[in-house]
Amino acid sequence: MSNEIFPLNACRKLHINNTAPELVEFAIRRNEGRLAASGAFCVETGQHTGRSVQDKFIVRDDDTEHAIWWDANRSMSEEQFDRLLHDFLAFAKLKDLFVQDLYAGADSEHQLPSRIFCEYAWHALFIRHLLRRPAADALDSFYPGFTVVDLPSFRAAPEYHGTRSETVIACNFTRKIVLIGGTSYAGEIKKSVFSYLNYRLPARGVMPMHCSANVGKDGKSAVFFGLSGTGKTTLSAEPSRTLLGDDEHGWSPSGIYNFEGGCYAKTIRLSKEAEPEIFAASSRFASVLENVAVDPISGQTNFDDGRLTENTRSAYPLEYISNASPTGVAGHPHNIVMLTADAFGVLPPIAKLTPAQAMYHFLSGYTAKVAGTEKGMGAEPQATFSTCFGAPFMPRHPSVYGNLLRKLIAEHKVDCWLVNTGWTGGKYGTGTRMPIKATRALLNAALSGDLKSQPMRVDPIFGFEVPLSLPGIDNKILNPRDTWADPKAYDQMAANLVGMFTRNFEKFASHVGPEVVAAGPVISREAAE
């Protein structure tokens, strides 16, 4: 039952595998948050309202030296980690901790038994929602293959522990443990588990994916890659399809499977009309609402209030979604959708990708952020390229994941699509957000197979195929240049975006075949005229 790295007797008192109601009671007694009128548990995370990417480290040792992409990951020595672990153990002896024994992965052949130590009861509730809960009889023989120790009130000493600040996420993949200190943002816990899976699984022939997934009534599954704000959770929670999960999945020789047992949805401006399933799940007992405003008198939540952060979140178990899959597994995908919120207004609402183009856009991981989504952003959109649509938790070189994905796409003859949920008719501030009804109609046509039979044009800049028409859709929206009042302004913006893509892809060029490099966008003479 014990784990020799961080034993169960490491702290003053342990609360082991409490249920959700018990954890809510603990959290209330400990003044960790409050109940909303709906029964959801509301918390504020303080200084950290999102992931602390610059404070994440991977221990550099003989096993990881040649396996980790060190250009994009910060290293920590074994000696520094040992000092940190020693101090975590000493700190834990003064604390009551909450332990949850959980599985990461719905596929029993590849699932990871994980033991999570939490200083806060609400963090234990959060991770109980987000990972998969073993059956009661399985807990008697549970032995962790991975451990996370989450101590938000611990403060690292940069000069002594080798950290950047008092906040630290230290990943020792060889010893299968992650230490989290100095941050109350609960998302760090689940991402630590997934970072380890993203390290472990490719060597086993399993593709780890930062994606959502769902299954149609015909049994055909679809995968949705996308960064925060692109619609990954919203579009996968389609009532007419069965939801597999909203964030992390694996693609094994048997098919795809959810890593999680819950959802972690972004809730800023969440509405019952636009996203009924997510709204309902976020309004149930024991759902965890991070940094969502709550009226101190009525207890009513205000999802439109972003004063604390635009990154307000809701964590809830999958069974809170009426159309969620009870098994978390499905067959090989028939469609892969790569989502981007192009705030420059250049990309079409949907495009069909060749396998080489799919790998190019997967490695690029493009979206654009707009003012208000992060502190310090100006009025202009900012391009973001997060390789594999999840660079901060993809520890191996992106080509490892890209080549594995391309192999699976070819083996299973998967149709690939690029969907722009961003702006049309101009960049952010001039144009308008892509109509959600148009996005859903085009996406449904793609997933059903109907879109492949529609007439297509080849985009002169990006080289992918774009439908010329679809019943019920304004054809004009399918050609972005036609939606701009000044077509020359579109051409200039397109040229700027192509330059961003090209510069970003330079670091991958030597790791991929020439056909993938050639799949990138080009400003040709024809496009410029």
Side-chain angles (χ1 to χ4, degrees):
M1 281 290 293
S2 66
N3 183 307
E4 61 182 23
I5 301 173
F6 202 90
L8 281 171
N9 63 1
C11 64
R12 183 172 61 192
K13 184 177 180 181
L14 277 183
H15 304 280
I16 301 177
N17 293 321
N18 296 104
T19 63
E22 290 171 337
L23 291 170
V24 170
E25 288 182 2
F26 273 117
I28 290 173
R29 287 203 300 267
R30 291 157 56 98
N31 296 314
E32 294 178 2
R34 61 164 294 180
L35 282 179
S38 64
F41 189 73
C42 303
V43 297
E44 294 184 9
T45 61
Q47 175 188 357
H48 296 283
T49 59
R51 289 179 295 103
S52 300
V53 178
Q54 299 302 316
D55 293 306
K56 180 180 177 181
F57 298 83
I58 298 174
V59 174
R60 197 166 193 153
D61 56 27
D62 290 343
D63 289 343
T64 60
E65 175 66 38
H66 301 293
I68 300 299
W69 187 32
W70 294 113
D71 288 352
N73 291 279
R74 291 172 177 258
S75 67
M76 173 179 281
S77 71
E78 294 177 83
E79 293 74 20
Q80 289 167 332
F81 182 85
D82 286 342
R83 289 198 290 268
L84 190 65
L85 177 60
H86 176 272
D87 290 348
F88 260 65
L89 285 164
F91 192 82
K93 288 186 182 299
L94 307 174
K95 298 288 181 180
D96 294 0
L97 297 187
F98 297 84
V99 176
Q100 289 286 310
D101 290 331
L102 303 160
Y103 293 133
D107 185 332
S108 59
E109 185 177 349
H110 301 290
Q111 69 185 186
L112 177 68
S114 303
R115 176 163 288 162
I116 317 296
F117 291 82
C118 298
E119 181 181 353
Y120 296 161
W122 81 263
H123 274 193
L125 176 64
F126 167 90
I127 201 62
R128 183 177 175 84
H129 289 338
L130 266 296
L131 293 185
R132 305 187 71 85
R133 299 177 296 282
D137 56 357
L139 289 173
D140 295 334
S141 58
F142 187 93
Y143 187 82
F146 185 71
T147 302
V148 177
V149 184
D150 168 53
L151 303 177
S153 63
F154 179 90
R155 296 293 182 267
E159 291 186 5
Y160 181 68
H161 295 121
T163 60
R164 185 188 71 98
S165 70
E166 292 183 336
T167 300
V168 61
I169 301 96
C171 308
N172 192 319
F173 291 155
T174 301
R175 298 173 71 181
K176 302 175 184 177
I177 185 170
V178 173
L179 307 177
I180 303 172
T183 173
S184 297
Y185 179 69
E188 296 286 12
I189 308 171
K190 78 160 197 159
K191 289 303 184 185
S192 295
V193 178
F194 301 145
S195 291
Y196 177 68
L197 286 173
N198 294 342
Y199 169 77
R200 173 194 191 209
L201 290 176
R204 303 184 176 203
V206 178
M207 173 69 188
M209 302 179 292
H210 179 220
C211 69
S212 58
N214 62 26
V215 185
K217 293 178 181 178
D218 55 5
K220 296 179 180 179
S221 63
V223 163
F224 301 78
F225 289 104
L227 299 172
S228 177
T230 58
K232 184 161 53 75
T233 298
T234 300
L235 292 172
S236 60
E238 168 62 43
S240 65
R241 296 174 65 86
T242 299
L243 177 69
L244 211 63
D246 81 330
D247 199 39
E248 303 279 349
H249 294 78
W251 189 352
S252 77
S254 303
I256 59 175
Y257 66 96
N258 191 1
F259 286 171
E260 300 180 277
C263 297
Y264 192 34
K266 201 166 183 178
T267 59
I268 191 68
R269 289 173 287 280
L270 176 68
S271 73
K272 185 177 182 179
E273 293 70 31
E275 298 170 276
E277 290 280 358
I278 298 172
F279 185 90
S282 302
S283 304
R284 291 185 59 172
F285 174 73
S287 287
V288 176
L289 301 184
E290 280 187 334
N291 300 308
V292 172
V294 185
D295 186 278
I297 306 300
S298 68
Q300 297 296 323
T301 52
N302 182 359
F303 292 115
D304 293 329
D305 191 331
R307 283 177 294 176
L308 291 176
T309 176
E310 287 280 311
N311 191 36
T312 55
R313 294 276 180 166
S314 172
Y316 48 84
L318 269 170
E319 57 261 31
Y320 281 14
I321 297 290
S322 61
N323 64 326
S325 166
T327 65
V329 299
H332 298 289
H334 283 69
N335 289 277
I336 288 176
V337 179
M338 298 184 188
L339 299 166
T340 180
D342 175 28
F344 298 103
V346 171
L347 294 175
I350 197 165
K352 192 170 190 308
L353 306 176
T354 66
Q357 289 168 345
M359 186 170 178
Y360 182 94
H361 286 280
F362 178 72
L363 291 177
S364 297
Y366 165 69
T367 193
K369 296 177 182 177
V370 298
T373 58
E374 287 188 3
K375 291 181 180 179
M377 284 197 63
E380 291 298 309
Q382 292 185 13
T384 297
F385 293 93
S386 185
T387 183
C388 308
F389 295 97
F393 17 93
M394 294 292 182
R396 295 183 182 271
H397 192 278
S399 61
V400 172
Y401 307 104
N403 285 321
L404 184 53
L405 181 66
R406 189 178 181 196
K407 174 177 175 287
L408 288 166
I409 288 171
E411 282 181 5
H412 301 287
K413 299 179 174 58
V414 184
D415 288 325
C416 299
W417 307 88
L418 183 69
V419 171
N420 174 24
T421 61
W423 273 255
T424 182
K427 67 175 184 177
Y428 169 78
T430 303
T432 58
R433 194 74 192 253
M434 196 72 69
I436 185 66
K437 288 185 178 179
T439 300
R440 287 193 184 278
L442 289 164
L443 189 55
N444 289 338
L447 300 187
S448 69
D450 292 343
L451 200 58
K452 289 195 296 182
S453 63
Q454 296 297 317
M456 299 271 190
R457 67 177 177 89
V458 176
D459 188 274
I461 297 174
F462 287 86
F464 42 47
E465 291 187 326
V466 180
L468 290 170
S469 63
L470 184 73
I473 295 292
D474 180 0
N475 293 345
K476 186 178 179 181
I477 203 173
L478 296 171
N479 190 336
R481 193 173 189 268
D482 291 346
T483 68
W484 282 54
D486 181 358
K488 291 296 183 182
Y490 169 87
D491 295 339
Q492 183 58 55
M493 188 62 72
N496 292 343
L497 184 58
V498 169
M500 296 178 204
F501 267 96
T502 303
R503 289 189 294 274
N504 174 72
F505 206 79
E506 288 174 355
K507 57 182 175 286
F508 304 126
S510 62
H511 298 277
V512 299
E515 71 281 9
V516 177
V517 177
V522 176
I523 295 294
S524 64
R525 180 178 299 174
E526 178 186 354
E529 291 175 351

